[in-house]
Amino acid sequence: MFSRLARGDEVALPNFGLETVHHVHADDVAQGFQRALENWSASVGESFHVVSPRALTLRGYAEAVAGWFGRDADLTYLPFNEWADRPEYDDTDVEATEEHIRYSPNASIEKARERLGYEPRYTSLEAVREAVEALVEAGEIDSNE
């Protein structure tokens, strides 16, 4: 999908592209654990969401990625089963996407902020952008037309 967005090719999204994903940077996850250890009395027996401040839709995610390559996202939308049957998606892609969007995650970090002082350094898009840049550098994303 990243290469297709980078080249300006059409990308099909499942459903209406309105399901949410809630990415988090590994540094922010580590921060959450560190703060839980440092605030033992506030964290023992509790659970916390350690994610970015806000989730984003699949559509917003795709539009942002295309924009990083100076493109507008050329998006189309298909019912999930039709999307899953497209030849560019293998079983692993389909399973991962279904797992990500089934519950359309959108978690609140307020409890972790209040009790632990958790404050993520990365938004969802910043976390993803760092990963995309690493994939480009490694030659895993082809942006050539």
Side-chain angles (χ1 to χ4, degrees):
M1 176 184 82
F2 292 120
S3 292
R4 296 178 67 76
L5 289 167
R7 291 189 305 264
D9 296 345
E10 179 184 275
V11 171
L13 294 178
N15 304 321
F16 296 107
L18 298 177
E19 292 84 357
T20 57
V21 289
H22 209 150
H23 292 91
V24 62
H25 194 282
D27 286 351
D28 288 332
V29 173
Q31 178 203 157
F33 278 99
Q34 183 66 37
R35 292 194 181 267
L37 291 169
E38 292 169 351
N39 296 286
W40 183 254
S41 62
S43 61
V44 74
E46 298 290 336
S47 63
F48 301 94
H49 295 292
V50 179
V51 293
S52 69
R54 283 180 298 287
L56 66 150
T57 64
L58 294 178
R59 178 181 176 178
Y61 181 23
E63 288 172 344
V65 171
W68 297 336
F69 295 95
R71 308 276 188 184
D72 289 328
D74 181 7
L75 302 175
T76 188
Y77 306 94
L78 297 170
F80 185 83
N81 289 339
E82 287 180 40
W83 175 86
D85 286 340
R86 290 180 67 119
E88 65 261 35
Y89 305 117
D90 63 23
D91 289 345
T92 303
D93 295 328
V94 171
E95 288 174 24
T97 300
E98 185 175 27
E99 183 64 29
H100 274 81
I101 69 172
R102 176 180 294 138
Y103 303 108
S104 204
N106 185 359
S108 171
I109 61 172
E110 287 310 307
K111 182 178 173 184
R113 275 184 166 150
E114 291 171 10
R115 296 191 187 179
L116 305 178
Y118 172 72
E119 193 60 49
R121 290 180 24 213
Y122 295 85
T123 66
S124 288
L125 285 175
E126 289 168 339
V128 171
R129 186 167 192 165
E130 191 172 287
V132 168
E133 288 172 351
L135 290 170
V136 168
E137 196 171 300
E140 297 292 322
I141 293 177
D142 174 20
S143 61
N144 297 320
E145 294 184 49

